[in-house]
Amino acid sequence: MKKISHYYFSLGLWLSSLLSCLATTAPNITTDQSALLSLKAKITWDPHEILASNWSATSSVCDWRGVTCGSRHRRVTALNISNLGLTGTIPPQLGNLSFLMSLDMRRNNFYGELPHELIRLSRLRVLSLGINRLSGNIPPWVGSLQDLRYFSLRNNSFTGYIPPSVSNMSKLETLNLKFNSLQGAIPMEIGKLKKLKQIVLDFNQLSGFLPPGLFNISSLEAIALRSNSLSGSLPSSICPRLQGLTWLDLGFNKLSGVIPPSLSECSKLQVLRLFENNFSGVIPEGFGNLTALVELRLARNNLIGVIPEGFGNLTALVELGLGHNDLDGTVLTVFD
Ligand SMILES: *[C@@H]1O[C@H](CO)[C@@H](O)[C@H](O)[C@H]1NC(C)=O
Ligand SMILES: *[C@@H]1O[C@H](CO)[C@@H](O)[C@H](O)[C@H]1NC(C)=O
Ligand SMILES: *[C@@H]1O[C@H](CO)[C@@H](O)[C@H](O)[C@H]1NC(C)=O
Ligand SMILES: *[C@@H]1O[C@H](CO)[C@@H](O)[C@H](O)[C@H]1NC(C)=O
Ligand SMILES: *[C@@H]1O[C@H](CO)[C@@H](O)[C@H](O)[C@H]1NC(C)=O
Ligand SMILES: *[C@@H]1O[C@H](CO)[C@@H](O)[C@H](O)[C@H]1NC(C)=O
Ligand SMILES: *[C@@H]1O[C@H](CO)[C@@H](O)[C@H](O)[C@H]1NC(C)=O
Ligand SMILES: *[C@@H]1O[C@H](CO)[C@@H](O)[C@H](O)[C@H]1NC(C)=O
Ligand SMILES: *[C@@H]1O[C@H](CO)[C@@H](O)[C@H](O)[C@H]1NC(C)=O
Ligand SMILES: *[C@@H]1O[C@H](CO)[C@@H](O)[C@H](O)[C@H]1NC(C)=O
C-alpha cells in the first residue's frame, strides 16, 4: 500500500512537472504579443503614430490594428501593416508567430535583411514585402515555406541570385521580384512550379537563357521578364500548353531567333512586348488572329517582310509599335 501511494505520488509529480514544462514552453497568444512588441520596438519612424497609440499592452493583441487572430486557437493568423509609412527592421522574433498565414508589410520603409527565423512561419500563404528598402540575398530558406501562394519582394534592393529552392514552393501562384538588382540566370527548376500564374522579374540584371520548363507551366497567365539581359531564343512551341497566357513581356533583353509562329495560338494574349531585342525573321502571319491584343510592341528588332494583313482585324489594339525594323506594308496607326 505504501509502495502504491508512493508510486502515485511520483506519477503526480512527474505529470505536474510535465504540465508546467509544457506551460512554459508552449507558445500562446502571449508569445505572439511579445513578437509584435519586438516588431514595434524596431520601428524608428511611425508617422501616423499608429503602432505607438494602438499597439498597447492594455488591449488584446487580437484587437490591434492590422492584426487578425484565428477563432479556434486565438493566435495571430494575419498581420497587415501595409502602407503605414513605417521605418524599421524586421526582428527575428517575428518568426515566433507560428500560426501566421499572411504577412503583408508592403509599401513601408523596412530595411535590412530577412531574418533567418522567418523560416519558422511554415503556415505562410502570403508573404508580401514589396516596396520597402530590404537588401541582402533572397535567402534559400524561402523554399521551405511550402504553403506559400503569393511571394512578393518587388521594389527592394535584393542582390545575388534567385535561389533554385523557390521551385520547392509547390503551391506558388505569384512570384514577383521586379525592381531589384538580381543577377544570374532564372533557375532551371522554376518549371516545377505547376500552379504558377504570374512570374514577374522585370527590371533586374538577370542573364542567361530562358528556362525551357517555364513554357511548360500550363497555369501561367503572365510572364514579365522585361529589362534584363536574357539571351537565347524562344522555344518553337509555347502556346499549346500556355493557353491562359494574357501577358508576355520580354522587352529590353538580348533575345534572338525568330518569333515562333505558334505564339498566335495564345488566343488570350492581351499584351505582347518583344521590343528592344534581336528577333529576326518575319512577323508570324497568324498574329492577325490575336484579336484580344491591346498592346503589341515589336519595335527595335531585326524583323523583315510584310506586316500581316490580318492586323486590320486587331480592333482591340490600343498600342502598336513596329518601328526600327525592316518591315513593308501598311497599318492604320504605327506607334513606335
Ligand atoms: C502563455 O504562456 C505563458 C508561459 O509561457 C504563461 O505565463 C501565460 O499565462 C500564458 N498566457 C495565456 C493567455 O495562456
Ligand atoms: C486599435 O485599432 C483598432 C482597429 O483600427 C480599433 O478597433 C481599436 O479600438 C484600437 N485600439 C486602441 C487601444 O486604440
Ligand atoms: C492589407 O490591407 C490593405 C489595405 O486595407 C489591403 O489592400 C490588402 O489587400 C491587405 N493585404 C492582404 C494580404 O490581405
Ligand atoms: C521568440 O524568438 C526569439 C528570437 O528568435 C527567441 O529568443 C525567443 O525565445 C522566442 N520565444 C518566445 C516565447 O518569445
Ligand atoms: C518601383 O521602382 C521603380 C524604379 O525605382 C519606380 O519607378 C516605381 O515607381 C516603383 N514602384 C512603386 C510602386 O513604388
Ligand atoms: C527541395 O525540397 C527537397 C525535399 O523536399 C529537398 O531535398 C531539396 O534539397 C530542396 N531543394 C532546394 C533547392 O532547396
Ligand atoms: C515540356 O513538356 C514537353 C511535353 O510534355 C516535354 O517533352 C518537355 O520535356 C518538357 N520540357 C521541360 C523542360 O520540362
Ligand atoms: C542580332 O542578330 C544578328 C543575326 O540575326 C546578328 O548578326 C547580330 O550580331 C545580332 N546583334 C546583336 C546585338 O546581338
Ligand atoms: C487564324 O485562325 C483560323 C481559325 O482558327 C485558322 O483557320 C487560320 O489558319 C488562322 N490564320 C493563321 C494565319 O494562322
Ligand atoms: C478578319 O477576320 C475575318 C473573320 O475571321 C476574315 O474573314 C478576314 O479575312 C480577316 N481579315 C484579314 C484582313 O485578315
Side-chain angles (χ1 to χ4, degrees), residues 194 212-214 216 241:
K194 292 302 176 206
L214 182 62
N216 269 6
R241 282 181 292 277

Side-chain angles (χ1 to χ4, degrees), residues 166-222:
V166 297
S167 64
N168 265 2
M169 301 190 280
S170 56
K171 294 175 184 163
L172 201 64
E173 295 175 5
T174 299
L175 176 64
N176 189 341
L177 306 175
K178 78 173 170 185
F179 285 114
N180 279 285
S181 300
L182 301 170
Q183 46 175 296
I186 302 171
M188 285 295 157
E189 296 86 349
I190 211 106
K192 280 165 62 187
L193 296 174
K194 292 302 176 206
K195 300 261 168 71
L196 201 60
K197 291 183 181 161
Q198 300 188 37
I199 179 166
V200 183
L201 306 176
D202 335 56
F203 298 96
N204 279 287
Q205 286 130 40
L206 299 168
S207 56
F209 296 157
L210 300 169
L214 182 62
F215 299 96
N216 269 6
I217 307 175
S218 56
S219 51
L220 272 175
E221 293 164 8

Side-chain angles (χ1 to χ4, degrees), residues 285-297:
E285 195 63 34
F287 272 21
N289 273 351
L290 289 173
T291 49
L293 274 183
V294 175
E295 194 182 320
L296 175 61
R297 292 171 170 237

Side-chain angles (χ1 to χ4, degrees), residues 114-148:
L114 298 181
H116 185 265
E117 285 77 3
L118 299 187
I119 194 179
R120 291 155 64 194
L121 301 177
S122 59
R123 288 179 163 89
L124 267 193
R125 291 167 176 230
V126 173
L127 181 54
S128 181
L129 302 176
I131 318 178
N132 279 290
R133 291 189 283 124
L134 298 165
S135 58
N137 290 345
I138 299 179
W141 54 255
V142 294
S144 48
L145 300 174
Q146 294 284 306
D147 264 338
L148 214 58

